[in-house]
């Protein structure tokens, strides 16, 4: 799979999860295994913030990696390849830290094990994809 296709796949995942979390936070939380008893108004708000974050990350991935408005060598931000590597490295760390953050409630047995058992592999998979992009 090409780098562009990998980025498109990650962006599509982030867009779909982002829109779901923003427009239907309770349904998205249920899909990930969060019990309805824990879907408080604050949790719903945090879910929407998660959705916005996903949409922003998807837009940045598409913009900086050959999407609709790619950075080019004349950009004041530097050569395109350098910016792509920086963005990929940030995304490796972002997804890895997401996975690490999900381990805490799993270890503490906070009643959202199913959500973490779904989320951790997704986050590690996204991190691995960005690692592959970084190395290419």
């Amino acid at each position: 799979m090409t780098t562009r296709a990998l980025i498109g796949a990650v962006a599509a995942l982030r867009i779909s999860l982002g829109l779901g979390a923003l427009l239907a936070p309770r349904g998205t939380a249920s899909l990930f295994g969060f019990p309805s008893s824990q879907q408080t108004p604050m949790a719903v708000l945090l879910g929407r913030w998660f959705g916005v974050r996903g949409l922003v990350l998807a837009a940045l991935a598409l913009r900086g990696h050959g999407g609709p408005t790619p950075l080019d060598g004349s950009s004041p931000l530097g050569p395109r390849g350098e910016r792509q590597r920086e963005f990929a490295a940030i995304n490796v760390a972002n997804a890895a830290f997401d996975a690490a953050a999900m381990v805490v409630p799993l270890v503490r047995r906070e009643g959202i094990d199913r959500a973490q058992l779904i989320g951790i592999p997704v986050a590690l998979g996204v991190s691995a994809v960005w690692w592959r992009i970084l190395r290419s």
Side-chain angles (χ1 to χ4, degrees):
M1 189 177 248
T2 67
T3 298
R4 188 178 182 126
L6 286 170
I7 291 165
V10 171
L13 175 66
R14 286 198 185 278
I15 290 168
S16 59
L17 288 176
L19 286 175
L22 186 61
L23 302 175
R26 291 181 191 276
T28 302
S30 294
L31 177 70
F32 272 86
F34 288 99
S36 59
S37 63
Q38 293 191 5
Q39 295 181 34
T40 64
M42 180 54 83
V44 170
L45 175 60
L46 288 171
R48 287 191 172 115
W49 286 345
F50 169 80
V52 170
R53 172 185 175 250
L55 294 173
V56 168
L57 288 171
L60 288 171
L62 293 173
R63 178 174 170 82
H65 287 275
T69 56
L71 296 173
D72 61 23
S74 64
S75 169
L77 298 176
R80 182 175 176 190
E82 178 183 325
R83 297 304 293 174
Q84 287 178 329
R85 284 188 299 280
E86 289 173 3
F87 188 73
I90 288 167
N91 274 280
V92 168
N94 177 69
F97 282 122
D98 281 350
M102 286 184 264
V103 170
V104 174
L106 185 63
V107 169
R108 290 183 179 170
R109 308 299 292 175
E110 294 179 349
I112 53 172
D113 293 4
R114 182 171 163 231
Q116 304 320 304
L117 293 173
I118 293 169
I120 291 169
V122 170
L124 290 175
V126 168
S127 186
V129 168
W130 280 111
W131 179 256
R132 180 176 171 194
I133 291 166
L134 178 64
R135 304 308 304 162
S136 65

